[in-house]
Amino acid sequence: MTDVATRTWDGMTIPVAGTYLLDQAHKRIGFLSRHMMVSPVRGEFAEATAEIIVAEDPLLSSVTATIMSASITTGSVDRDTHLKSADFLDVERYPTLEYRSTGIKWQGTEDPIFQWARLRNHRLGGRGRSHIVPPQSDSTPGRFVLTGELTAKGVTRAVDLEVNFGGTRRDPYGQNIFGFSATAEINREDYGLLWNVILESGGVLVGKTVQIEIAGEAIYQA
């Protein structure tokens, strides 16, 4: 077995250039919204594909993804049926959601709170003990902003994903993979998902803000 196909970029170990596909066994295309303004409800899309083109210059890489809208699941059959209806995703008319990246911005490998502490010469600790923030190792995950466009229900809007690169490895099947997670926040009404109920006590039944939560692995295509 040959070594893992990696290279070094800006002090970080990253995958070699090439085409990578989303691993169907290790993915989560999730979201979170609020019910009655007080409780979070999580769900996900069970069916999705993505192609990641890692360029020689990592900042020229690109991502395309397709999500099957009818695969939405929140743990409630009645709620899922409503979300698939014309009140929300209208899956019969719009069977997919699409994402296309338009650019990548490098944010570094250091968590902002540690960077702030170091710049302020801040010592972390308590009970009479103090600790200098340790230097970050090369294995620290890198942070990027992936700019792009999300199309849902026939409407396209700009959506930037905050991406954490989790590292690259060879899996037990001999495949070169890398891991990642990403988050974003959108207003569902921007996509024509307007259904709601005004509560007598104030507020609405379904929150307008939707938090996107993505995690997965991508497999190198030889």
Side-chain angles (χ1 to χ4, degrees):
M1 183 179 295
T2 59
D3 292 336
V4 179
T6 62
R7 52 188 168 141
T8 300
W9 178 79
D10 201 15
M12 181 173 62
T13 300
I14 65 171
V16 295
T19 300
Y20 294 75
L21 297 183
L22 182 65
D23 184 353
Q24 294 299 305
H26 299 93
K27 73 177 189 307
R28 181 175 186 272
I29 314 299
F31 59 87
L32 179 150
S33 188
R34 288 198 170 271
H35 177 248
M36 297 189 68
M37 310 295 290
V38 295
S39 63
V41 174
R42 276 190 163 86
E44 64 180 89
F45 293 91
E47 300 177 19
T49 60
E51 181 182 73
I52 303 170
I53 306 298
V54 177
E56 290 293 342
D57 178 351
L59 298 184
L60 296 179
S61 301
S62 62
V63 178
T64 58
T66 298
I67 300 166
M68 304 307 295
S69 56
S71 70
I72 191 170
T73 175
T74 64
S76 167
V77 173
D78 289 342
R79 181 167 55 220
D80 293 348
T81 299
H82 192 193
L83 290 173
K84 295 175 187 179
S85 74
D87 283 343
F88 289 96
L89 292 174
D90 199 357
V91 301
E92 291 189 3
R93 293 182 60 195
Y94 305 100
T96 65
L97 298 86
E98 307 284 340
Y99 186 80
R100 300 288 183 272
S101 68
T102 57
I104 300 178
K105 302 174 184 176
W106 170 233
Q107 301 294 298
T109 59
E110 188 172 55
D111 190 298
I113 192 170
F114 288 112
Q115 184 180 42
W116 174 85
R118 186 171 290 107
L119 290 174
R120 292 290 302 273
N121 195 28
H122 182 67
R123 293 175 180 267
L124 302 181
R127 298 184 182 273
R129 296 180 300 171
S130 61
H131 303 278
I132 296 295
V133 179
Q136 302 296 290
S137 69
D138 289 345
S139 62
T140 302
R143 298 180 299 111
F144 299 84
V145 173
L146 185 68
T147 61
E149 295 178 337
L150 175 66
T151 300
K153 208 171 181 179
V155 178
T156 301
R157 294 283 185 268
V159 173
D160 293 347
L161 292 170
E162 299 280 347
V163 179
N164 282 311
F165 169 66
T168 182
R169 295 285 187 274
R170 184 183 296 278
D171 72 10
Y173 305 102
Q175 302 176 116
N176 290 304
I177 65 170
F178 70 85
F180 62 89
S181 60
T183 59
E185 190 172 277
I186 64 173
N187 184 332
R188 64 182 177 86
E189 292 189 345
D190 290 343
Y191 296 90
L193 282 69
L194 304 176
W195 186 91
N196 224 328
V197 173
I198 303 298
L199 301 175
E200 291 184 3
S201 57
V204 292
L205 182 66
V206 183
K208 299 179 182 180
T209 299
V210 178
Q211 297 175 24
I212 298 173
E213 306 169 327
I214 300 171
E217 296 175 5
I219 305 172
Y220 178 66
Q221 305 300 295

